Amino acid sequence: MKSRYRDGCFYCEHNQTQVERMVPIMPLDVSTFYLNRDQTHPGRAIVALDWHVDELFELTAPMRQAFIDDVAQAAAILKEYTGASKINYGIYGDTVSHLHFHLVPKLPSDADWDDAFVNNPSGVTPKSDAELAPMINDLRKLVDQNYETLRN
């Protein structure tokens, strides 16, 4: 059996690297919803599975469905909160293999509309906890208010 934890994985270890990149919004059913400190697209977030797997196909069908449901719930909340025209989904894992989705709200007025978002843009100043706190509080409220509706 594969381990649910991997040494060196910042999603598993919840270490300083993770703290430097994101802030937890709240746990969902099988994952955690994070706000990315890079807010080049307002509302940019991550949904990470709560245990370590490298690939989507490593999950059982019910676990895969539960994870995708969490991603969909987070995306719906972000779209409502940001007024985005589209949520872009990124699932990579070349350097951070822990299964996670990047959720990037986009508008037609964005410079990269009709193109992929830049995952690690240079020259970005990460947002502080204080700068992100109002958005995190608003997103938590929206998740709580819409949990049952989004689950059914």
Side-chain angles (χ1 to χ4, degrees):
M1 181 174 131
K2 289 184 77 167
S3 173
R4 291 173 51 99
Y5 174 87
R6 180 174 289 165
D7 286 332
C9 171
F10 68 74
Y11 286 108
C12 292
E13 293 179 347
H14 304 288
N15 62 23
Q16 187 61 32
T17 300
Q18 184 184 42
V19 169
E20 291 168 0
R21 294 183 182 186
M22 64 196 72
V23 178
I25 296 170
M26 67 188 314
L28 301 174
D29 285 347
V30 297
S31 62
T32 302
F33 188 17
Y34 295 94
L35 192 60
N36 198 307
R37 289 188 186 279
D38 163 13
Q39 287 293 300
T40 52
H41 290 86
R44 181 175 176 186
I46 292 172
V47 177
L49 191 66
D50 284 338
W51 62 93
H52 195 99
V53 300
D54 294 333
E55 305 289 351
L56 196 55
F57 61 76
E58 293 176 31
L59 297 173
T60 64
M63 286 294 98
R64 189 170 47 250
Q65 185 62 57
F67 181 52
I68 295 300
D69 287 348
D70 281 358
V71 171
Q73 177 184 2
I77 293 300
L78 287 174
K79 191 166 187 179
E80 178 182 340
Y81 180 74
T82 64
S85 298
K86 178 70 176 94
I87 301 293
N88 280 189
Y89 302 82
I91 184 169
Y92 307 110
D94 295 350
T95 56
V96 180
S97 65
H98 189 113
L99 186 58
H100 64 286
F101 272 81
H102 295 261
L103 304 178
V104 181
K106 291 182 71 180
L107 296 165
S109 58
D110 291 341
D112 60 355
W113 181 258
D114 201 29
D115 203 356
F117 65 90
V118 176
N119 189 36
N120 295 309
S122 60
V124 172
T125 302
K127 300 288 185 192
S128 69
D129 288 356
E131 290 172 305
L132 295 175
M135 188 182 304
I136 289 170
N137 290 333
D138 290 345
L139 291 168
R140 285 177 180 158
K141 287 176 190 170
L142 282 172
V143 172
D144 282 342
Q145 290 168 1
N146 292 291
Y147 182 79
E148 292 303 322
T149 302
L150 292 167
R151 281 298 188 226
N152 296 325

